[in-house]
C-alpha cells in the first residue's frame, strides 16, 4: 500500500487546512496541469462534434453515410486507447511527466494544424486521420494525467483534486460540443473558423503546459515493451495483482458503459421520446454534464477531504434509482409535434425527466471520483501509470461493448425508456456483485452513513492516522459502533482485534466479519483462540496494515475509562521479534456514552445497549480525537491509558 510522493519532491507546498479544492486553482502544482487537461478535452470535443455536424448535415459523402458518421468518428477516436494505452502507460512511468505533457501538447498543435487544412479544403479522409491522431493524443495524455496527481497532492487533497479534474473534463466536453456546433453552423466560413479555433486551443494548451512543475519519473529504468498486445496483457496483470485496485478499475469501466448508453441515446431520446428538437438534445447534454460536475465537486465535501470510497455505493444506488425513474417518467408522455426548447420546458412532465437526469449524473460523479482516487492511492508508484493505462483499455472496451449491446437491444425491439430501465437494473446487479467481491466498499458506506446520518461525527487529529505502513491504534471502548466510527475516520482499511462475543450480534457480527476483524477470547477461556488471534494480528502488521485494539478488554459499563490490559504490549513484542518498530496511535471517542449503542440502560441488574433507539434523539454530536504516535519502546498500558484519557478531557 502506498501514497503520493511528497509535494516537496516537486517544489510545491502542501495545502493548508481549511482550504477547499478550489484553492488548488491558485497553486502552480495544480493550476497549469488543470488548464492543460481542460483545454485538451475541450479541443477534442470541439473538433469531433464540428466534424460530425459537417459530415452529417452539410456534406453528402457517398462512402460515409450521415447515419454512420457519428459511429465511425467515435470508433476512430477510441481505437488508439485499445492500441496504444499500454505503451503510453510505460512512457508515463519511465519519463519525467512535465516533459511528456509538453511533447503531447506539441503533437496536438501539429494535429490541429493538419485538421485546419482538412476543414479549409473539406478533406474528409484527412479529418478522419486527425480523429485517430487526436485519439492518440488523448491516449498519451491519459496515464500521465492521473499519475501526475498523486505526486503533487496529499491524501487529503486527492479526492478534491480528482473532483476538480472530473468536473473540468465534463465542462470542457460540454463547452467543446456547444462551441463546435455553433462555429460549424456559421454559413460558408464555419469550417474555417473551426480550424482556427482548434489550432488556437492547442496553442493555449501548450502555453499552460509550460508552467506545469517538473515531476520526476517513478520508474526511469523501465525498458519499454513496444508490443501492444503483450504489454496490454502485462498491464492488466499488474492491475489484477491488487484486488481492490482491479475491482475499482472494473467499477469505473462499468460507469463508462452506463454513461455511454445515455450519451449515445440522447439525440434519439430527445427526438423520438421527448419530441424535442436539436436544442432539447443539447439541453440533455448540458444537464448531464452539469450533474457530473456537481457530483464530482461534492465528493470532497461529503468525504471530509479523504479518499472516501463509502461514497461509491451511495453513487451506485442513486444511479440505479434515477435511471429506473427515468423510465417511469417518460413512458406515459403523449405524442406531440417537435418542440423547441421553450415549448419543451413549458411542459410540467418534462421537469421530472430533467431532474432524474441531473440526479443520475450527480450520483455518477459521486461514484467515479473516489474510485479514481483509490486507484491512484493504492497503486505502486513505480507502475501507477501502467495501471491507469489498463483502466483506459478496459474503459474503451466497455464503451465499445456498450454500443454493441445498445444496438442489439434496439434491434430486438427495446424502446429507449426500456433501455434506461434495463441499464438501471443492470447497474444494481453489477454494483452488488462488486461490493460483495470487495466488501471494503460496503463497509466504508456503512461507516459513512453512521458518521454522517446517524451521528454528527467530528474528527480531530486525523493527520496522525498513517496513510501508509503498519501502526497500532488504541482507543477507549464506549459502544458497539466504536469500530464503525474509527473506520469512518481512517483513509485506509483497519483490522480490529475484538472480543469474540461481539460476533454473536446478528448485524454487527456480520459487518465485522466482512471487515476481517480478528476475534479474541480470554486466555483462560480458550487459550488456542487467544494465541491464534495474536498470531493473526502479528501477520497483519507484517503486511503493513493498520491494527486497532480496545485495550480495556470490553465496552465500558459506567462511561468511565477502564484500566488497559496487556494485549497491546503482547502485539508490540511480537512485532519487535519480527524486526518491526510499530508506532502506536492513541485515540479517544467522545460523547458516545448515553447513546443507543452504549450500555447505559439497566435490565435485571445488567447494563445493556440497544434498548431505546431514540433515547438521545437524532444526529447526536460525537467525536474522535487522535493523538501523536507513541514509539513502540515507550508504550505501556498505563502510559497509553494516560494518553487516551488526555484526549477525552
Amino acid at each position: 500500500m502506498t501514497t503520493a510522493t511528497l509535494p516537496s519532491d516537486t517544489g510545491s507546498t502542501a495545502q493548508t487546512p481549511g482550504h477547499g479544492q478550489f484553492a488548488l486553482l491558485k497553486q502552480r502544482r495544480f493550476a497549469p496541469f488543470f488548464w492543460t487537461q481542460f483545454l485538451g478535452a475541450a479541443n477534442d470535443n470541439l473538433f469531433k462534434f464540428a466534424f460530425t455536424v459537417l459530415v452529417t448535415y452539410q456534406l453528402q459523402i457517398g462512402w460515409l453515410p450521415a447515419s454512420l458518421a457519428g459511429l465511425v468518428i467515435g470508433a476512430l477516436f477510441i481505437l488508439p486507447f485499445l492500441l496504444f494505452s499500454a505503451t503510453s502507460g510505460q512512457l508515463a512511468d519511465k519519463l519525467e511527466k512535465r516533459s511528456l505533457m509538453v511533447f503531447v501538447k506539441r503533437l496536438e498543435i501539429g494535429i490541429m494544424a493538419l485538421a485546419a487544412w482538412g476543414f479549409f479544403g473539406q478533406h474528409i479522409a484527412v479529418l478522419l486521420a486527425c480523429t485517430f491522431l487526436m485519439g492518440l493524443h488523448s491516449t498519451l495524455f491519459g496515464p500521465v494525467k492521473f499519475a501526475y496527481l498523486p505526486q503533487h497532492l496529499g491524501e487529503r487533497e486527492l479526492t478534491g483534486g480528482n473532483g476538480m479534474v472530473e468536473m473540468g473534463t465534463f465542462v470542457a466536453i460540454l463547452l467543446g460540443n456547444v462551441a463546435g456546433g455553433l462555429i460549424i453552423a456559421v454559413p460558408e466560413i464555419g469550417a474555417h473558423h473551426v480550424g482556427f479555433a482548434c489550432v488556437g486551443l492547442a496553442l493555449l494548451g501548450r502555453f499552460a503546459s509550460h508552467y506545469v512543475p517538473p515531476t520526476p519519473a517513478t520508474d526511469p529504468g523501465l525498458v519499454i515493451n513496444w508490443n501492444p498486445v503483450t504489454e496490454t496483457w502485462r498491464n492488466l496483470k499488474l492491475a489484477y495483482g491488487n484486488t481492490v485496485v482491479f475491482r475499482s478499475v472494473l467499477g469505473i469501466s462499468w460507469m463508462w458503459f452506463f454513461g455511454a448508453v445515455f450519451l449515445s441515446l440522447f439525440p434519439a431520446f430527445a427526438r423520438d421520446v421527448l419530441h424535442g428538437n436539436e436544442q432539447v438534445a443539447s439541453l440533455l447534454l448540458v444537464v448531464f454534464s452539469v450533474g457530473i460536475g456537481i457530483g464530482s465537486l461534492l465528493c470532497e465535501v461529503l468525504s471530509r477531504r479523504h479518499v472516501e470510497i463509502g461514497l461509491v455505493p451511495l453513487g451506485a444506488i442513486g444511479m440505479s434509482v434515477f435511471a429506473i425513474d427515468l423510465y417511469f417518467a417518460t413512458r406515459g408522455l403523449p405524442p406531440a409535434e417537435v418542440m423547441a426548447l421553450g415549448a419543451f420546458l413549458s411542459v410540467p412532465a418534462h421537469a421530472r425527466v430533467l431532474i432524474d437526469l441531473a440526479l443520475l449524473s450527480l450520483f455518477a460523479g459521486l461514484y467515479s471520483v473516489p474510485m479514481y482516487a483509490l486507484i491512484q492511492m493504492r497503486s505502486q508508484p513505480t507502475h501507477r501509470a501502467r495501471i491507469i493505462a489498463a483502466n483506459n483499455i478496459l474503459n474503451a472496451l466497455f464503451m465499445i461493448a456498450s454500443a454493441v449491446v445498445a444496438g442489439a437491444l434496439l434491434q430486438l425491439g427495446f424502446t429507449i425508456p426500456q433501455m434506461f430501465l434495463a441499464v438501471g437494473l443492470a447497474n444494481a446487479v453489477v454494483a452488488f456483485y462488486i461490493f460483495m467481491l470487495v466488501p471494503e466498499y460496503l463497509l466504508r458506506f456503512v461507516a459513512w452513513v453512521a458518521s454522517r446520518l446517524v451521528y454528527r461525527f467530528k474528527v480531530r487529529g486525523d493527520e496522525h492516522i498513517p496513510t501508509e505502513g503498519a501502526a497500532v491504534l488504541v482507543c477507549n471502548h464506549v459502544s458497539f459502533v466504536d469500530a464503525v466510527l474509527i473506520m469512518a475516520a481512517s483513509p485506509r482499511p483497519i483490522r480490529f482485534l475484538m472480543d469474540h462475543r461481539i460476533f454473536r450480534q446478528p448485524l454487527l457480527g456480520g459487518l465485522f466479519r466482512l471487515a476481517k476483524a480478528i476475534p479474541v477470547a480470554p486466555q483462560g477461556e480458550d487459550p488456542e483462540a487467544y494465541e491464534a488471534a495474536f498470531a493473526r494480528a502479528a501477520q497483519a502488521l507484517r503486511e503493513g496494515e493498520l491494527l486497532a485494539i480496545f485495550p480495556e478488554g470490553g465496552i465500558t459499563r459506567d462511561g468511565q475509562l477502564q484500566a488497559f490490559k496487556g494485549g497491546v504490549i503482547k502485539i508490540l513484542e511480537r512485532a519487535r521479534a519480527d524486526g518491526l518498530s510499530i508506532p502506536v496511535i492513541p485515540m479517544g471517542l467522545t460523547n458516545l456514552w448515553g447513546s443507543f449503542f452504549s450500555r447505559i440502560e439497566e435490565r435485571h441488574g445488567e447494563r445493556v445497549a440497544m434498548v431505546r433507539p431514540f433515547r438521545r434523539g437524532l444526529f447526536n454530536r460525537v467525536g474522535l480525537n487522535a493523538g501523536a504516535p507513541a514509539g513502540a519502546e515507550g508504550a505501556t498500558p498505563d502510559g497509553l491509558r494516560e494518553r487516551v484519557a488526555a484526549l477525552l478531557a
Side-chain angles (χ1 to χ4, degrees):
M1 229 175 279
T2 185
T3 68
T5 54
L6 293 176
S8 57
D9 293 342
T10 58
S12 54
T13 57
Q15 190 182 30
T16 55
H19 287 185
Q21 54 200 328
F22 287 100
L24 292 171
L25 289 175
K26 301 176 182 178
Q27 301 176 28
R28 187 186 169 195
R29 62 192 172 123
F30 184 81
F33 159 77
F34 174 86
W35 292 114
T36 299
Q37 68 86 30
F38 179 92
L39 291 164
N43 212 6
D44 281 343
N45 287 277
L46 187 153
F47 167 77
K48 284 193 301 176
F49 195 73
F51 182 27
T52 303
V53 171
L54 178 69
V55 296
T56 303
Y57 293 100
Q58 298 182 9
L59 300 179
Q60 299 296 322
I61 310 297
W63 53 272
L64 185 62
S67 59
L68 295 178
L71 291 175
V72 171
I73 291 169
L76 275 176
F77 188 81
I78 290 175
L79 183 59
F81 284 91
L82 296 176
L83 297 178
F84 303 117
S85 283
T87 303
S88 65
Q90 294 177 89
L91 293 172
D93 278 333
K94 181 179 177 62
L95 302 178
E96 194 272 323
K97 293 179 177 58
R98 177 188 176 276
S99 300
L100 187 55
M101 288 188 199
V102 169
F103 169 77
V104 171
K105 292 295 109 178
R106 286 173 175 165
L107 177 64
E108 182 183 357
I109 293 172
I111 297 169
M112 289 295 94
L114 181 62
W117 179 69
F119 276 116
F120 293 168
Q122 298 186 350
H123 303 301
I124 303 305
V126 170
L127 292 173
L128 288 173
C130 289
T131 302
F132 179 85
L133 291 173
M134 282 304 285
L136 175 62
H137 153 271
S138 296
T139 302
L140 290 171
F141 193 75
V144 71
K145 173 174 75 172
F146 285 109
Y148 171 91
L149 287 175
Q151 288 188 256
H152 291 268
L153 304 184
E155 186 274 330
R156 292 171 64 85
E157 300 169 310
L158 205 51
T159 294
N162 275 282
M164 290 293 292
V165 170
E166 192 84 348
M167 177 276 297
T169 299
F170 274 90
V171 170
I173 290 171
L174 174 62
L175 293 178
N177 283 336
V178 171
L182 292 175
I183 296 172
I184 196 68
V186 176
E188 298 183 2
I189 57 173
H192 293 74
H193 286 178
V194 169
F196 290 131
C198 288
V199 173
L201 285 175
L203 289 169
L204 287 174
R206 170 62 185 91
F207 176 77
S209 71
H210 179 76
Y211 294 96
V212 172
T215 307
T218 53
D219 191 4
L222 177 68
V223 177
I224 302 292
N225 174 17
W226 297 102
N227 185 323
V229 177
T230 59
E231 187 58 28
T232 294
W233 181 248
R234 186 182 302 173
N235 286 0
L236 293 173
K237 286 173 67 177
L238 279 174
Y240 187 75
N242 186 320
T243 301
V244 174
V245 167
F246 186 69
R247 302 302 183 195
S248 299
V249 167
L250 290 179
I252 290 172
S253 298
W254 168 255
M255 189 213 68
W256 282 107
F257 180 103
F258 180 93
V261 170
F262 286 87
L263 290 171
S264 65
L265 292 175
F266 276 167
F269 180 55
R271 183 189 63 220
D272 301 334
V273 179
L274 302 179
H275 313 295
N277 63 4
E278 296 88 343
Q279 294 176 327
V280 174
S282 297
L283 175 65
L284 299 182
L285 178 62
V286 169
V287 170
F288 191 86
S289 300
V290 170
I292 286 275
I294 293 173
S296 300
L297 294 177
L298 279 176
C299 286
E300 185 185 59
V301 176
L302 296 176
S303 66
R304 294 198 182 104
R305 295 177 58 203
H306 280 301
V307 177
E308 180 52 85
I309 62 173
L311 295 177
V312 175
L314 177 67
I317 291 168
M319 288 162 65
S320 283
V321 166
F322 292 106
I324 292 169
D325 192 66
L326 193 57
Y327 162 75
F328 289 105
T330 55
R331 66 173 185 164
L333 293 177
E337 297 294 325
V338 175
M339 290 177 278
L341 185 59
F344 174 82
L345 292 174
S346 67
V347 178
H350 293 159
R352 180 179 171 186
V353 173
L354 295 177
I355 290 170
D356 280 339
L357 193 59
L359 291 175
L360 179 154
S361 56
L362 184 150
F363 280 98
L366 294 180
Y367 175 92
S368 63
V369 169
M371 281 192 171
Y372 277 117
L374 181 73
I375 291 171
Q376 292 163 342
M377 190 176 77
R378 300 278 183 91
S379 299
Q380 288 285 351
T382 52
H383 52 258
R384 184 185 286 129
R386 279 169 282 171
I387 288 177
I388 293 166
N391 172 67
N392 291 343
I393 293 166
L394 288 177
N395 290 173
L397 288 173
F398 272 65
M399 291 174 71
I400 292 169
S402 169
V404 172
V405 170
L409 290 178
L410 289 173
Q411 289 295 319
L412 290 173
F414 274 61
T415 65
I416 292 175
Q418 287 171 342
M419 292 279 292
F420 295 159
L421 175 65
V423 172
L425 293 173
N427 182 67
V429 173
V430 170
F432 180 78
Y433 177 68
I434 291 175
F435 302 149
M436 288 298 99
L437 285 177
V438 187
E440 187 181 344
Y441 286 111
L442 196 57
L443 292 167
R444 297 292 305 192
F445 176 61
V446 172
W448 185 85
V449 169
S451 62
R452 271 71 166 183
L453 303 182
V454 177
Y455 295 111
R456 285 180 291 173
F457 185 49
K458 186 166 186 178
V459 182
R460 293 185 177 89
D462 55 340
E463 67 273 10
H464 296 305
I465 303 174
T467 55
E468 64 177 352
V472 175
L473 314 178
V474 296
C475 190
N476 60 320
H477 207 359
V478 190
S479 77
F480 283 97
V481 293
D482 293 351
V484 174
L485 293 175
I486 294 172
M487 275 194 289
S490 172
R492 41 188 290 227
I494 302 174
R495 297 287 299 277
F496 287 89
L497 198 67
M498 305 179 70
D499 189 319
H500 70 293
R501 288 169 292 189
I502 201 169
F503 290 84
R504 298 173 190 168
Q505 299 286 337
L507 182 60
L508 291 174
L511 180 67
F512 294 135
R513 287 188 188 92
L514 281 177
K516 298 181 181 178
I518 302 169
V520 58
Q523 188 173 19
E525 179 182 323
D526 191 340
E528 289 186 6
Y530 177 83
E531 289 299 326
F534 283 95
R536 291 174 64 188
Q539 178 65 26
L541 293 177
R542 285 195 296 272
E543 294 174 357
E545 297 187 77
L546 284 182
L547 182 70
I549 184 171
F550 300 104
E552 295 167 276
I555 298 173
T556 180
R557 296 175 184 274
D558 59 7
Q560 301 302 309
L561 184 65
Q562 309 299 307
F564 281 15
K565 297 182 179 179
V568 65
I569 305 304
K570 186 179 180 71
I571 290 170
L572 296 175
E573 287 174 349
R574 288 204 175 199
R576 280 195 291 271
D578 290 331
L580 302 174
S581 180
I582 303 295
V584 182
I585 316 298
M587 293 180 159
L589 284 162
T590 61
N591 207 34
L592 269 167
W593 178 251
S595 70
F596 171 65
F597 295 102
S598 66
R599 284 176 163 157
I600 194 169
E601 302 291 344
E602 188 171 343
R603 293 287 188 272
H604 309 296
E606 286 288 327
R607 288 285 189 177
V608 295
M610 295 179 280
V611 174
R612 293 169 56 195
F614 303 107
R615 70 178 319 279
R616 286 204 324 193
L618 296 172
F619 309 118
N620 312 145
R621 289 186 182 275
V622 299
L624 177 70
N625 300 326
E633 294 77 9
T636 64
D638 290 342
L640 290 173
R641 185 183 182 280
E642 289 178 7
R643 284 174 174 262
V644 172
L647 295 169
L648 300 175

